[in-house]
Amino acid sequence: MLSIEHFYIVLALFLFFAGGSNLREGRYAHAAFWSMLGVLFATGKLVLTASKAGNPLPSQLAGAAVIVLALLATRMRREHIAEAPEDQRRASALRLGHRLFVPALLIPAITVLIVLFGKYIVIFGTPLFGEGSITLIGLALACVLAALAAVVVTRERPIRAASEGRRLLDTMGWAALLPLVLATLGGVFAASGVGDAVASIVSAVIPADSRVACVLAYGLGMVVFTMIMGNAFAAFPVMTAGIGLPLLIQQHGAEPAILGALGMLTGYCGTLMTPMAANFNLVPAALLELDDPNAVIRVQIATAVPLLAVNLLLMYWLAFK
């Protein structure tokens, strides 16, 4: 039975490989960062089990490790890591042609198939996919299979996949963790009652009986919170609990599905305009070695602002019966 924990172990092994590679090259902060992160992924289930059993020490140690990661991140510097010469890469691309796209296309294809049909796959009376999000398990399995497919297509040694993955990871640096951290932050905000606080502030500031004011507060709030947290998924529970549910849905009768879909899309306008969305905005600039780290954001603002205006109009027009 496959569970997400199996893929966490695979990820931990990859992080240990990245840590060992950096250690051999004398990049000690990088080595410590990836190795400690690998330990966290490898021991996550043990920490959770101990916490449920009433033993807080493993959780406290994990929290201390996160603080150490933050300190190590300040010592990490983006450096060029050698790769194959350009003429060699061009020759390889011409030789492989469109087959190069096969591994990348396998990821969404396999993920969708597992989401749709994974629950029906049973081996000797046992479901193949165990507890946890079937989407996340499917995505993890798809990535592993895509890596194997890349090895077959390129006829490279399997260690090359790990080496290139490690090169990409070190190019991104600590920013590779930002989506995970920011999504977690959204859950923390929602659990700590930030949504209720937002609802109180908004009700005191705007006329709650005005549908237009509530739509603007919800839409612009999604944008602002997304820009702060870098992730619309992190902003969504906070703004929906604070404005969307009590004011727009319960008070003004908005359709939840339409409001939620347009609310998320509105939040993505904030994603286009913030460096906190590192995986979308900072990582491409780093990979392309642009002189201006905010170059991607500057280009995207021209799309984000008109899209925001259209989303607000659609929300007001479509979400209410």
Side-chain angles (χ1 to χ4, degrees):
M1 178 186 296
L2 289 175
S3 70
I4 194 60
E5 299 297 335
H6 293 101
F7 297 104
Y8 286 160
I9 296 299
V10 173
L11 179 56
L13 293 175
F14 170 66
L15 290 169
F16 290 144
F17 171 80
S21 300
N22 278 288
L23 183 63
R24 289 193 299 271
E25 297 172 7
R27 295 155 55 93
Y28 301 115
H30 293 71
F33 187 91
W34 300 126
S35 298
M36 183 166 293
L37 185 61
V39 170
L40 290 175
F41 273 103
T43 60
K45 187 173 183 179
L46 297 176
V47 171
L48 182 61
T49 302
S51 179
K52 290 181 178 179
N55 181 6
L57 182 59
S59 297
Q60 293 171 352
L61 292 175
V66 171
I67 295 175
V68 173
L69 287 177
L71 295 175
L72 288 171
T74 64
R75 306 296 301 171
M76 297 173 70
R77 297 290 183 269
R78 182 164 61 91
E79 300 175 11
H80 179 72
I81 299 176
E83 55 182 323
E86 183 177 354
D87 57 346
Q88 181 179 334
R89 286 182 278 128
R90 287 183 177 274
S92 178
L94 291 173
R95 175 176 60 86
L96 296 172
H98 294 308
R99 285 178 293 169
L100 280 172
F101 294 101
V102 172
L105 294 176
L106 281 176
I107 296 177
I110 293 175
T111 302
V112 170
L113 289 174
I114 291 177
V115 170
L116 294 177
F117 306 108
K119 61 183 177 182
Y120 302 113
I121 303 177
V122 178
I123 300 178
F124 300 116
T126 302
L128 177 60
F129 301 102
E131 297 180 357
S133 169
I134 187 68
T135 304
L136 192 57
I137 296 174
L139 177 60
L141 179 59
C143 290
V144 173
L145 295 178
L148 296 176
V151 171
V152 173
V153 169
T154 60
R155 299 179 182 177
E156 294 281 356
R157 294 183 301 166
I159 191 64
R160 184 66 181 273
S163 298
E164 287 300 306
R166 172 257 167 168
R167 185 181 64 81
L168 181 61
L169 187 66
D170 274 327
T171 300
M172 292 187 292
W174 59 265
L177 288 189
L178 201 51
L180 172 64
V181 174
L182 294 173
T184 304
L185 180 62
V188 172
F189 277 9
S192 61
V194 174
D196 295 334
V198 169
S200 300
I201 295 173
V202 170
S203 298
V205 172
I206 69 170
D209 57 345
S210 170
R211 181 182 296 179
V212 174
C214 291
V215 167
L216 289 175
Y218 180 62
L220 297 178
M222 277 294 300
V223 171
V224 172
F225 265 72
T226 299
M227 293 180 69
I228 293 173
M229 295 189 280
N231 192 311
F233 287 98
F236 184 76
V238 175
M239 298 310 300
T240 301
I243 302 175
L245 182 59
L247 299 181
L248 289 173
I249 296 175
Q250 295 178 346
Q251 182 170 328
H252 292 284
E255 179 65 33
I258 297 176
L259 182 68
L262 289 173
M264 284 294 293
L265 187 57
T266 302
Y268 295 147
C269 296
T271 302
L272 296 174
M273 299 186 288
T274 177
M276 294 298 288
N279 52 327
F280 294 109
N281 300 333
L282 296 187
V283 170
L287 294 178
L288 295 173
E289 298 183 354
L290 302 179
D291 294 331
D292 182 3
N294 295 315
V296 174
I297 297 174
R298 297 183 193 281
V299 173
Q300 291 175 161
I301 288 177
T303 300
V305 174
L307 182 59
L308 170 59
V310 171
N311 286 339
L312 292 174
L313 291 174
L314 289 175
M315 194 181 300
Y316 183 79
W317 181 35
L318 299 176
F320 301 97
K321 300 176 182 179

